[in-house]
Amino acid sequence: MDFSLTDEERAIRDTARQFITKEVMPLEQEALLRERRHQPGLELSELRELQQKAKKFGFWGLSTPEEYGGMNLPAVLQSLIWTELGRTFVQFKFGGEADNILYYANEDQKREFLLPTIEGDRISCFAITEPGAGSDAANIKLRAVRDGDDWVLNGEKTFITNGNDADFTIVVAVTDPSKRASQGGATAFLVDKSMGWRSEFIQTMGEGGPASLIFEDVRVPHRNILGEIGQGFELGMKWIGKGRYLIPSNALGIAERALGMALEYANTRETFGAKIGTNQAIQWMLADSEVEVEAARWLILRAAWTVDQGWDPRHASSMAKLYGAGMVNRVVDRVMQIHGGMGYTRELPIERWYRQVRLMRIYEGTDEMQRLIISRDLLRGYTKIGGHLA
Ligand SMILES: Cc1cc2nc3c(=O)[nH]c(=O)nc-3n(C[C@H](O)[C@H](O)[C@H](O)COP(=O)(O)OP(=O)(O)OC[C@H]3O[C@@H](n4cnc5c(N)ncnc54)[C@H](O)[C@@H]3O)c2cc1C
């Protein structure tokens, strides 16, 4: 058994780390200051500029197929890079990406939606959650009714990331109420903001925030259906599925950086004439964090590796998401404890992480939904105890 990275994986990971350390981390203090003033830590124009710089380093479209100018990286490499991204709290991500389900678009739609999203000229958002349907996404109600060459959409989506900035949405709507959304009753539509939906920003405990999208008699041409009629729920699950190993990959980077800060503090902060790291109470928090970081790393990499094998990654990804999201919350909490009062201030990023990582246990499938999937797979014999080694 070989747990090491290949030379190529190491080289790409290290180049990403170098870029983030040299180009992104120096912006951290300014980002913290801006966020304290309730401004974005990084302006869109600054993000685009950094993304262009990264492109020159070779980082463009981590998951984007080569025919669209991307790197088309294997999932393991994407995971490693998302961990690097997690090391900085500046809201940077590499450019050249588009929602994975936009590749289901036809050629005209690709020109109108996919290509400009990859280029960063258009901003998308994906909308399935509604005020009455989150975990139970098959219970959505936003209705699309056929009227000649158009569909007329009515209803509300909520908690939509980028919802306030997007100029188009991929919205999943009920097209056949006689069927459950999960059984062919829902369809995905590509809807320009100019077609008439409006957004309302939602304040959250995190930086930035999602939005509600309100549809009142919004007319959408039939040609704007993404994929097939009745395929909306399946596409929605594909969109959510991608984040299931990338969110914990990101969490791992946050936890590693935070734990590094705790080590440094434990080795320098003195109380009662000795470094706090000489106390067993502090040592145990460090040790427990290190164990959990390592455990998460291997669950996450196995989930990504499962994707690369072409196997069904749902079980492995749910375990990685459940454990990775819980792990980062526990680690950041301990890191704050080790920093005492300083950890609670806005001088340091710890309280920011504390707010940020709480979301990881909620969105793209709550902890409880991951547990539901994992236990259901076991109970139905879809997976074996011991996984692929069993
Ligand atoms: C900041 C943010 C960004 C988001 N971005 C997007 C986005 O871009 N697009 C999008 O479509 N959605 C998005 N979401 C929505 C997110 O995916 C949902 O909030 C999440 O799936 C949970 O749904 P809910 O909030 O309706 O909670 P509910 O489903 O109402 O659940 C409430 C609680 O009950 C638990 N629960 C529910 N059912 C069960 C059960 N059967 N057994 C045990 N426990 C259960 C849940 O785990 C949770 O703890 C975002 C949410 C947030 C907060």
Side-chain angles (χ1 to χ4, degrees):
M1 187 170 289
D2 185 357
F3 284 95
S4 47
L5 299 179
T6 64
D7 288 347
E8 192 201 9
E9 284 164 349
R10 189 177 292 280
I12 295 178
R13 196 268 322 255
D14 289 352
T15 315
R17 181 173 294 180
Q18 206 188 338
F19 181 83
I20 288 158
T21 308
K22 277 174 89 173
E23 304 291 344
V24 187
M25 284 184 178
L27 309 174
E28 289 185 345
Q29 280 316 310
E30 176 63 19
L32 272 189
L33 282 173
R34 288 183 190 176
E35 287 176 353
R36 268 191 249 155
R37 296 196 296 259
H38 306 289
Q39 295 165 350
L42 196 64
E43 295 287 349
L44 188 60
S45 57
E46 294 169 322
L47 171 67
R48 295 282 183 250
E49 204 177 303
L50 272 175
Q51 288 176 335
Q52 289 302 326
K53 228 184 224 180
K55 194 177 183 179
K56 292 193 185 119
F57 255 68
F59 287 98
W60 184 256
L62 305 182
S63 65
T64 304
E66 280 156 22
E67 59 182 298
Y68 296 98
M71 299 170 85
N72 196 24
L73 292 177
V76 165
L77 255 169
Q78 289 187 53
S79 166
L80 292 170
I81 294 173
W82 274 69
T83 299
E84 295 309 313
L85 287 168
R87 286 180 209 286
T88 180
F89 52 85
V90 175
Q91 285 182 314
F92 170 76
K93 58 181 186 240
F94 292 111
E97 293 277 328
D99 308 72
N100 57 348
I101 58 174
L102 277 181
Y103 293 93
Y104 285 79
N106 61 35
E107 291 311 310
D108 286 342
Q109 292 170 340
K110 279 182 181 165
R111 266 191 299 279
E112 200 178 337
F113 297 98
L114 173 68
L115 301 183
T117 305
I118 291 173
E119 288 309 313
D121 296 332
R122 300 200 74 180
I123 299 177
S124 65
C125 65
F126 167 76
I128 189 163
T129 305
E130 296 183 2
S135 305
D136 185 11
N139 196 30
I140 54 168
K141 298 278 183 273
L142 188 142
R143 186 80 167 91
V145 176
R146 183 93 194 238
D147 183 23
D149 285 342
D150 294 338
W151 291 79
V152 181
L153 273 58
N154 276 291
E156 184 177 339
K157 295 291 178 185
T158 194
F159 294 133
I160 308 307
T161 303
N162 280 342
N164 229 20
D165 305 314
D167 53 55
F168 78 94
T169 180
I170 309 167
V171 65
V172 182
V174 174
T175 41
D176 182 352
S178 71
K179 295 179 186 158
R180 272 182 75 73
S182 51
Q183 280 155 2
T187 301
F189 292 85
L190 296 160
V191 192
D192 287 301
K193 190 147 196 189
S194 59
M195 289 174 181
W197 54 270
R198 58 175 213 281
S199 64
E200 284 171 9
F201 183 76
I202 301 169
Q203 297 275 353
T204 66
M205 67 191 274
E207 299 299 331
S212 291
L213 311 187
I214 293 114
F215 290 76
E216 283 167 352
D217 291 330
V218 174
R219 276 191 172 269
V220 183
H222 184 75
R223 61 183 157 79
N224 280 34
I225 285 178
L226 177 66
E228 308 289 327
I229 291 184
Q231 205 189 358
F233 190 81
E234 181 198 327
L235 292 179
M237 293 305 106
K238 282 204 162 73
W239 188 92
I240 289 166
K242 190 172 174 214
R244 292 252 160 101
Y245 75 92
L246 293 177
I247 290 169
S249 304
N250 203 241
L252 183 61
I254 296 172
E256 286 187 347
R257 172 99 185 266
L259 182 56
M261 285 176 62
L263 280 177
E264 203 180 314
Y265 203 69
N267 273 330
T268 49
R269 175 74 176 170
E270 290 189 11
T271 62
F272 304 98
K275 305 274 189 288
I276 58 168
T278 59
N279 296 299
Q280 198 177 53
I282 302 291
Q283 291 162 2
W284 285 22
M285 285 195 269
L286 295 172
D288 287 346
S289 299
E290 163 73 348
V291 172
E292 291 195 42
V293 162
E294 280 307 299
R297 184 189 321 284
W298 297 110
L299 274 176
I300 293 161
L301 285 174
R302 186 171 78 106
W305 177 83
T306 305
V307 173
D308 288 337
Q309 301 311 301
W311 300 346
D312 182 349
R314 277 178 299 178
H315 192 76
S317 296
S318 283
M319 290 200 291
K321 165 86 166 51
L322 173 66
Y323 191 78
M327 174 280 294
V328 74
N329 274 272
R330 290 187 294 274
V331 169
V332 168
D333 182 67
R334 292 186 197 114
V335 170
M336 183 179 283
Q337 195 66 19
I338 289 170
H339 279 78
M342 273 311 290
Y344 193 66
T345 69
R346 294 204 163 175
E347 301 296 311
L348 297 177
I350 302 168
E351 68 79 34
R352 186 195 185 287
W353 281 320
Y354 193 84
R355 290 180 286 117
Q356 178 191 348
V357 301
R358 190 61 185 81
L359 176 63
M360 292 178 166
R361 296 184 49 207
I362 296 172
Y363 74 166
E364 298 191 26
T366 60
D367 282 2
E368 292 72 26
M369 288 305 107
Q370 308 309 334
R371 287 193 175 96
L372 194 83
I373 294 166
I374 295 162
S375 59
R376 196 179 50 197
D377 286 349
L378 285 169
L379 289 166
R380 291 183 186 169
Y382 183 70
T383 189
K384 290 196 193 105
I385 298 169
H388 70 283
L389 297 180

